[in-house]
Amino acid sequence: MSNDSLANLLKEERRFAPPAALAAAANVTEAAYAQADADRLGFWAEQARRLTWDTEPTETLDWSNPPFAKWFADGKLNVAYNCVDRHVEAGNGERVAIHFEGEPGDSRSITYAQLKDEVSQAANALTELGVRAGDRVAVYLPMIPEAVVAMLACARVGAAHSVVFGGFSADAVASRIQDADAKLVITADGGYRRGKPSALKPAIDEAVGKCPQVEHVLVVRRTGQDTAFTEGRDVWWHDVVARQSTEHTPQAFDAEHPLFILYTSGTTGKPKGILHTSGGYLTQAAYTHHAVFDLKPDTDVYWCTADIGWVTGHSYIVYGPLANGATQVMYEGTPDTPHQGRFWEVVQKYGVTILYTAPTAIRTFMKWGDDIPAKFDLSSLRVLGSVGEPINPEAWIWYRKHIGGDRCPIVDTWWQTETGAMMISPLPGVTETKPGSAQRALPGISATVVDDEAHEVDNGGGGYLVLTEPWPSMLRTIWGDDQRFIDTYWSRFEGKYFAGDGAKKDDDGDIWLLGRVDDVMLVSGHNISTTEVESALVSHPSVAEAAVVGAADETTGQAIVAFVILRGSASETDTLVGELRNHVGATLGPIAKPKRILPVQELPKTRSGKIMRRLLRDVAENRAVGDVTTLADSSVMDLIQNKLPSASDED
């Protein structure tokens, strides 16, 4: 990262102190950092006592064979018991665990006592279908309560679940079922999306046709649409689960017993099966949910808007919140169905106090207009969270002002599928927050920024984000491929986990994430982050959202190409394009000026809201566009490609 470029990005000077009332009653105070610094392992041993163990662990960390960690290895527990039964036994059975809001407007509230019964029935059904401890179960479901029940039922019987996002193609599902060697698949006839039923079962039928080891497909009836059934293999959830006993005795498993495999994209094209185990993962998921959101289980209503198919859904819909006895909202559909105020209608209906969503969603809400959230009562909100990618300062400020009423602290969280739980984030009762910065490693976490030679950079410097000590919720390996685990995460910097993300420190030593290192462009010998340029573009009043890629260029190595969505009042003109280029130049320096800026109606996004920059790079380099099966709307790419011939290459 060039020094000039860094200096420009570090100009953010707005600061927001924690609300006094929240700080006075915060779950976690500044003292937690000192406690963890003084005795990191002792700190995590104390957090493990948040859980209920059948056999209390006496050993915190075994790091005798790095990078293969064992946390609380001599302890035994049942993860589902920790998420459900113990709350009922403590007298909280009537507390609502999940307020489910279906996209068509149907809703139901499930108490912890009801959830315990449903999970027990599902566990008995899995046993009847031949699932045993150590087996793998693939889950391909919409955002319905049965997804949570299915995951907890797997955990209850000791089978590792592999949840596959409901937007993936049959081939993608098949490859994941095959890699995990799953013997059972849990799916649904479909789910509701953008106002109509969206079928899921046909993709499973096609995928399972390539997976002879699958013995049964357990199908939830959600939409009621016609569904093909294979006799002897396919069984209805309402037939098999509903007739089971609500009594099921959970078995204790070793803390290192596999809990789930979650597949993430690999640079080789073959997905990586990230393996998480039980005791350490649940300890950190529960602790971070308690600390970062300042959760008060008796009074808070929490809503994480992620999909169950991503790690955010695992850690901060299922395991963290339920381990803490939280009441949460679970929403099935999209934020613009049946209208663009749907999210705020849900917040108002349930009195949501803690909201955790993605920068992509926030920028979309910005684009739709300030007047939409203004129509709803959002006064119940007290903590706002951001997850999934770096959030640009202007979106951060908009989120605080228009959703948080200029009173709610924002916790901008950095973590990954591989880390399992949050690693870097402000604490809402402690941190003076800075728009756009994740700021500081959480208590018990060791993170820093290093240069190419693995030397820690000084304050004001940029480089690569690394983790220097093991943490409880860390991935244990890549399923079936220990060598790939070592090569992917531990080979770049000796003794350090390399996250794959670029980062920088500001003058206070706070951390700013710059996105994936493959999203760092090398322009005339200067490293320029796509995030920097995107933030500069979005800070212009005419731009609602931006995505930036580096395209091969004979002269400069890479040229910066920007795709922008204009705000409703702005119109596309050559003058505006020139103005935007100059705005980026004034903000970041002339080297960061995009060579080409293309105003577009939409950006290519997955159904989880992530921008597929790989496809934009294909367009920018005039290549055939790659696989679009994971896009929410593949027609977006046709619209973008049709714009390209009219684009001018400006100097």
Side-chain angles (χ1 to χ4, degrees), residues 206-264:
E206 184 181 336
V208 171
K210 304 170 186 174
C211 305
Q213 83 278 11
V214 173
E215 297 171 7
H216 292 288
V217 177
L218 182 58
V219 187
V220 178
R221 179 177 283 157
R222 168 61 180 148
T223 61
Q225 60 204 113
D226 288 339
T227 303
F229 244 57
T230 300
E231 199 65 39
R233 185 196 73 185
D234 297 351
V235 290
W236 284 110
W237 178 283
H238 58 264
D239 285 341
V240 178
V241 176
R243 61 175 165 77
Q244 301 293 333
S245 166
T246 57
E247 297 299 317
H248 180 277
T249 303
Q251 177 185 346
F253 297 100
D254 291 343
E256 284 298 326
H257 187 78
L259 178 62
F260 66 86
I261 302 164
L262 188 56
Y263 286 86
T264 186

Side-chain angles (χ1 to χ4, degrees), residues 262-333:
L262 188 56
Y263 286 86
T264 186
S265 299
T267 53
T268 64
K270 182 188 177 189
K272 305 188 295 281
I274 304 303
L275 176 67
H276 284 288
T277 55
S278 301
Y281 168 80
L282 192 62
T283 294
Q284 192 170 334
Y287 171 71
T288 51
H289 183 261
H290 162 84
V292 173
F293 295 121
D294 192 51
L295 179 86
K296 317 290 190 193
D298 292 334
T299 54
D300 276 320
V301 178
Y302 163 82
W303 182 20
C304 170
T305 70
D307 191 278
I308 214 85
W310 309 115
V311 73
T312 306
H314 285 53
S315 299
Y316 298 108
I317 294 177
V318 182
Y319 293 112
L322 295 178
N324 288 334
T327 294
Q328 67 178 314
V329 171
M330 184 176 185
Y331 175 58
E332 177 183 33

Side-chain angles (χ1 to χ4, degrees), residues 2 46 265 305 360 430 484 542 565 609:
S2 70
E46 181 178 318
S265 299
T305 70
T360 295
V430 176
R484 190 180 183 194
S542 295
I565 298 175

